[in-house]
Amino acid sequence: QVQLVESGGGLVQAGGSLRLACAASLRAFSTYGMAWFRQAPGKEREFVAAISWSASRTRYADSVKGRFTISRDNAQNMVYLQMNSLKPEDTAVYYCAADRVIGDITPQMVPDRYDYWGQGTQVTVSS
């Protein structure tokens, strides 16, 4: 059974940092593109960051560029999102997602392209 389990969310003051982690029970984890999305109350789910098989390709939403960093550890089946200089507008539930792809391609930014999702972890940034 495929599972993606997020952790590391919490309450932090503006300007602070958090590191989210996603543990993936996926066969051949290293052949999946991985991503983080987020959803704030009353808003649609939005793309945050994505990383290719080998981590050679990454993509970021404009709103988080320079502040967030996505990484992965294929030996441990883990994906991380380091979030620095957090802002109140970063408050949302953050979801880990996996995209079964062929080749070490540039990762996707569209939620519908992702095959598996975690349950999410809440991030709250106070002003």
Side-chain angles (χ1 to χ4, degrees):
Q1 182 179 357
V2 174
Q3 273 193 316
L4 301 178
V5 180
E6 302 95 338
S7 62
L11 174 63
V12 64
Q13 287 189 332
S17 297
L18 283 174
R19 189 192 193 206
L20 304 184
C22 172
S25 62
L26 291 166
R27 286 189 176 183
F29 171 76
S30 61
T31 64
Y32 283 80
M34 300 296 296
W36 290 93
F37 289 81
R38 67 187 181 187
Q39 189 167 17
K43 295 188 176 181
E44 292 187 353
R45 190 167 297 189
E46 67 172 356
F47 171 78
V48 176
I51 190 166
S52 64
W53 282 7
S54 68
S56 62
R57 295 175 174 84
T58 57
R59 301 181 79 172
Y60 294 93
D62 288 343
S63 59
V64 307
K65 279 182 183 176
R67 300 189 297 123
F68 291 10
T69 303
I70 189 170
S71 61
R72 65 189 296 162
D73 182 344
N74 287 342
Q76 299 294 325
N77 282 25
M78 297 291 295
V79 180
Y80 303 99
L81 186 68
Q82 178 67 43
M83 305 187 295
N84 299 328
S85 302
L86 282 161
K87 304 175 181 179
E89 50 264 44
D90 294 318
T91 295
V93 177
Y94 283 71
Y95 297 91
C96 176
D99 178 16
R100 190 168 188 176
V101 297
I102 299 175
D104 195 22
I105 63 173
T106 300
Q108 299 294 322
M109 301 173 66
V110 179
D112 288 349
R113 294 297 302 268
Y114 285 80
D115 303 296
Y116 303 107
W117 292 83
Q119 293 300 307
T121 185
Q122 176 71 46
V123 172
T124 303
V125 184
S126 63
S127 57

